[in-house]
Amino acid sequence: MLDVRPLRPGDARSLEALARRLWPKSPHPGGLGWQLATEEFTSENAAVARRDGEVVGWAVVEGPDALRSLATVSAVGASDDPEAGAALLDWALDRTGDAAVELLAFQGDTVLRDLAEKAGFALGKDNTFGEWMSRDATEEEIHLPDGYRIRAVREGEEEARVECHRTAWKPSDLPWPERVGTVNPDLTSRFSRERYDNTRAALLYDRELDLVVEAPDGSLAACCVVWWDPENRCSEIEPLGVVPAHRRRGLAVALALTACALTARRGGDRVYINTTPNEAYPTPAMTYATVGYTPLDRGTALLRPAR
């Protein structure tokens, strides 16, 4: 029997395991773990489909809002369970109402594409979505400024690790292009100790791959999580941030290359990073491109006009 209900906190592990099984017709299970840990998906915007009590798919609706002129829907699981895919798409479209909708179908999920076309979606002019960049996992020579070193986060360092992330991701201190204008200096990162604890409870979290850059004074200058998936032989970096006082010293590149080396040593062949070239925030993609990360199309974007 199939049922669709809002996402619950206890669903996280089931969704991560499903993503791992469906890859690449799904998000990377590590990046998904991060999204769930940081509450990007909640009962307010996500639903799961269960068959006989087992999670077989999920859907997320984002927008329309101040940041999005149309609603964006993503759905996972139709490739393995078409009935679940149809039910999740119906759930999502009930929520979007008469708004224009963009549906993201992961590469290879032809079932979801067929369902979408029957629901009035069609390929737009720009019909791919590329949320990532990727690179071969290879051994690398890592260059750091004098006095800096990359290491795993230590037990007892949790508060410093949270503060490093929050400082690196303070909105007004991010490297926006000039055309973006002034960003409210009172805005702060939503990351917290609770969300870090959630991150550490995720399926693929490995403390040895929770990396920090230690500065000459012993403070944490940068951080990232490398989500290694041995079943699919690939890793995702999500997120990676550098404290403003330590930017333009090659720390982001050093972490991105360290992820490649650590993945290669574990028998992996590919590393993904959750960024893509875009005009609104171009610096990260430009940085990773200098060491061989290239854009990757993850699937198809279909559009249904406003009603």
Side-chain angles (χ1 to χ4, degrees):
M1 181 176 178
L2 181 73
D3 69 281
V4 175
R5 60 157 173 76
L7 176 72
R8 296 172 183 168
D11 293 326
R13 186 57 60 89
S14 295
L15 267 62
E16 293 167 284
L18 179 61
R20 192 179 203 180
R21 180 169 63 81
L22 294 179
W23 171 266
K25 293 178 284 189
S26 70
H28 189 280
L32 176 64
W34 168 259
Q35 291 177 298
L36 292 164
T38 55
E39 299 177 291
E40 289 185 36
F41 304 159
T42 69
S43 61
E44 296 298 315
N45 71 339
V48 299
R50 300 186 309 158
R51 185 173 296 283
D52 300 326
E54 179 182 355
V55 173
V56 293
W58 75 87
V60 180
V61 177
E62 298 177 281
D65 53 32
L67 298 177
R68 303 174 184 85
S69 59
L70 72 172
T72 299
V73 172
S74 59
V76 174
S79 57
D80 269 25
D81 193 321
E83 184 185 5
L88 288 166
L89 184 58
D90 287 344
W91 170 88
L93 295 180
D94 282 344
R95 291 181 63 86
T96 60
D98 294 331
V101 183
E102 179 182 55
L103 174 69
L104 307 180
F106 282 96
Q107 195 168 48
D109 195 346
T110 57
V111 173
L112 183 60
R113 281 192 56 175
D114 291 343
L115 291 168
E117 289 171 2
K118 292 176 182 176
F121 286 82
L123 290 175
K125 184 177 179 181
D126 181 12
N127 56 37
T128 62
F129 72 93
E131 297 179 333
W132 288 350
M133 301 177 76
S134 70
R135 185 188 188 280
D136 288 341
T138 52
E139 281 288 352
E140 297 294 334
E141 185 176 350
I142 311 299
H143 299 283
L144 286 167
D146 289 346
Y148 289 81
R149 64 173 178 144
I150 295 175
R151 59 171 174 80
V153 70
R154 296 169 179 153
E155 290 294 340
E157 210 169 29
E158 292 82 8
E159 296 296 341
R161 173 66 174 79
V162 169
E163 188 56 31
C164 178
H165 176 99
R166 288 178 55 82
T167 305
W169 287 95
K170 181 176 172 57
S172 61
D173 289 335
L174 293 172
W176 302 104
E178 290 184 7
R179 61 180 172 275
V180 171
T182 302
V183 177
N184 184 347
D186 294 328
L187 294 176
T188 61
S189 165
R190 299 181 304 117
F191 200 52
S192 63
R193 175 60 188 273
E194 179 183 5
R195 289 181 173 178
Y196 184 44
D197 289 344
N198 292 342
T199 300
R200 297 196 302 165
L203 177 65
L204 295 185
Y205 178 82
D206 179 347
R207 188 174 63 82
E208 292 302 313
L209 296 176
D210 186 352
L211 304 178
V212 296
V213 179
E214 183 181 308
D217 63 0
S219 66
L220 302 187
C223 54
C224 78
V225 180
V226 181
W227 301 92
W228 159 238
D229 181 1
E231 290 189 11
N232 291 301
R233 296 170 52 85
C234 62
S235 295
E236 180 179 356
I237 301 170
E238 175 66 348
L240 187 156
V242 180
V243 171
H246 299 276
R247 288 178 183 155
R248 300 185 182 276
R249 301 182 188 186
L251 304 187
V253 161
L255 283 170
L257 289 178
T258 298
C260 292
L262 292 173
T263 299
R265 291 170 200 169
R266 286 161 171 76
D269 50 31
R270 202 76 183 159
V271 176
Y272 300 87
I273 190 162
N274 188 11
T275 193
T276 192
N278 68 83
E279 294 183 2
Y281 188 47
T283 301
M286 292 170 59
T287 298
Y288 304 129
T290 64
V291 289
Y293 282 83
T294 58
L296 175 72
D297 288 337
R298 287 288 286 125
T300 304
L302 300 101
L303 296 174
R304 193 183 77 172
R307 297 187 170 186

